[in-house]
Amino acid sequence: MKNVLVIYYSQSGQLETIARTIAEPLENDKDCCVTFYEIELEKPFPFPWNKAAFFDSFPESFLQIPIALKPIPQFILNTQYDLILLNYQVWFLTPSIPINSFLKSTDAKIILNNTPIITISGSRNMWVIAQEKVKLLLQENKAILKGNVALVDRVGNLISVITIVEWMFSGAKNKYLGIFPLPGVSEKDIIESSKFGVAILGSLKENNLNDLQSKLIALNGVKISSYLVSIDKTANKIFKKWSNFIYSRKKSRKIWLKVFNVYLWLAIWLISPIVYILHLIIFPFKLFKIKKETKYYQGVS
């Protein structure tokens, strides 16, 4: 019997659906015992978000400052798992505060120690640097990363900004104005994500997770956009300066968060299109580097 733990935190329910869909083949197998653990906060974040609360979470999110979680059930702490599926969201180019708080907890050191992990993210589009941050936290917990699946919103970058923001602030997953596509990971991609569970189950039953990532890549579990990787890297450098600055401004925090809000929208709507054009121009001259980066970010090393 293989003991499998599925960890997730979900506000809208999308990530929980992804987590359960991928885990379904394992859950239906007689040789697997699957346990679901939903991370719960002592003080939950709002959903739908309001603008003030959303931007107020930025400094602590990017700086990966943990908050208090509700206690993890004792039976989970007492069980040795053969595999853990760690499902997470990306907030401000960083693993979400709830996931970060779990990974930095003393309980995580018990649960993850010397245990094979598969990370599964559901994000708007930029996730590669967040995954690097997750990798580091897993290493600190002495976990063994064996696989990664990254599910994203496949529509264009600027269109997804509009649809995701509308979803976050309204709480309703609808076609904005009746003309925009549905926000988030598509229903088709979510339904078809059970194929990753089939691959995971096969490798688990064969007691060989070493070649799992190559199987997940072959199933289109990890697609890399060199343009988005470039933006992700640059934005992380900028966000680091903004988050440290705002976090240190206790009295004027609200004012600087409003300034950051304006900056962010200018960056998205004015700077990112320029970056895209420049990327297209220099793409042929950076082909070798891009291929090397793509191979790295698709892997788990």
Side-chain angles (χ1 to χ4, degrees), residues 11-292:
Q11 288 183 301
S12 67
Q14 174 181 268
L15 194 66
E16 179 180 2
T17 302
I18 290 170
R20 291 187 178 275
T21 302
I22 293 178
E24 187 175 7
L26 292 91
E27 196 175 12
N28 291 337
D29 190 276
K30 60 182 178 60
D31 294 324
C32 289
C33 177
V34 179
T35 301
F36 291 88
Y37 163 55
E38 180 180 9
I39 295 170
E40 295 184 272
L41 310 179
E42 288 286 357
K43 186 179 179 182
F45 288 102
F47 189 81
W49 289 85
N50 59 68
K51 183 181 285 189
F54 176 72
F55 282 100
D56 190 55
S57 71
F58 162 64
E60 285 76 11
S61 179
F62 189 82
L63 295 174
Q64 295 183 265
I65 298 172
I67 61 175
L69 305 178
K70 290 187 178 180
I72 297 174
Q74 193 62 43
F75 79 90
I76 291 179
L77 294 172
N78 293 339
T79 302
Q80 179 63 50
Y81 291 97
D82 299 286
L83 180 65
I84 293 176
L85 307 186
L86 178 67
N87 299 265
Y88 73 93
Q89 298 167 316
V90 178
W91 292 8
F92 295 105
L93 309 179
T94 305
S96 71
I97 289 177
I99 285 292
N100 180 71
S101 300
F102 166 74
L103 290 174
K104 289 194 170 187
S105 70
T106 55
D107 286 343
K109 295 186 182 300
I110 297 171
I111 297 170
L112 303 180
N113 182 49
N114 200 35
T115 304
I117 308 291
I118 296 169
T119 48
I120 300 163
S121 60
S123 63
R124 185 174 73 86
N125 56 20
M126 283 181 274
W127 58 269
V128 293
I129 305 303
Q131 176 69 2
E132 292 300 295
K133 297 173 186 179
V134 169
K135 282 177 169 180
L136 183 59
L137 291 171
L138 291 176
Q139 290 171 8
E140 291 174 357
N141 285 304
K142 298 181 180 179
I144 309 166
L145 183 59
K146 291 294 187 179
N148 177 51
V149 173
L151 297 177
V152 299
D153 188 334
R154 295 186 184 277
V155 304
N157 184 40
L158 296 182
I159 292 176
S160 69
V161 170
I162 297 171
T163 57
I164 293 291
V165 168
E166 170 63 19
W167 185 18
M168 285 193 308
F169 291 159
S170 71
K173 190 174 184 178
N174 298 319
K175 290 187 174 184
Y176 182 50
L177 301 178
I179 57 173
F180 284 87
L182 286 172
V185 180
S186 72
E187 189 68 21
K188 180 177 182 290
D189 283 347
I190 293 176
I191 292 171
E192 292 180 354
S193 67
S194 62
K195 64 186 178 184
F196 305 124
V198 173
I200 292 167
L201 175 62
S203 293
L204 181 63
K205 296 185 76 169
E206 292 169 2
N207 295 312
N208 181 18
L209 295 169
N210 292 330
D211 62 348
L212 174 61
Q213 187 59 17
S214 61
K215 295 179 182 178
L216 297 176
I217 292 171
L219 293 170
N220 293 320
V222 185
K223 289 189 174 182
I224 304 295
S225 163
S226 57
Y227 162 63
L228 292 175
V229 170
S230 177
I231 290 183
D232 202 345
K233 287 181 176 180
T234 302
N236 263 271
K237 294 175 183 177
I238 297 170
F239 277 20
K240 183 177 181 180
K241 294 178 181 178
W242 271 107
S243 59
N244 278 303
F245 178 80
I246 294 172
Y247 186 72
S248 67
R249 297 302 189 271
K250 304 299 181 183
K251 293 183 179 180
S252 57
R253 176 183 174 111
K254 290 184 179 180
I255 294 173
W256 284 110
L257 283 171
K258 290 180 180 179
V259 175
F260 172 70
N261 179 9
V262 174
Y263 164 79
L264 189 59
W265 285 109
L266 287 174
I268 290 171
W269 293 104
L270 295 180
I271 299 175
S272 67
I274 296 172
V275 172
Y276 180 67
I277 294 170
L278 292 175
H279 175 77
L280 291 177
I281 294 171
I282 66 174
F283 179 83
F285 304 100
K286 299 180 67 175
L287 196 56
F288 176 78
K289 181 181 179 182
I290 288 170
K291 286 182 178 180
K292 186 177 179 181

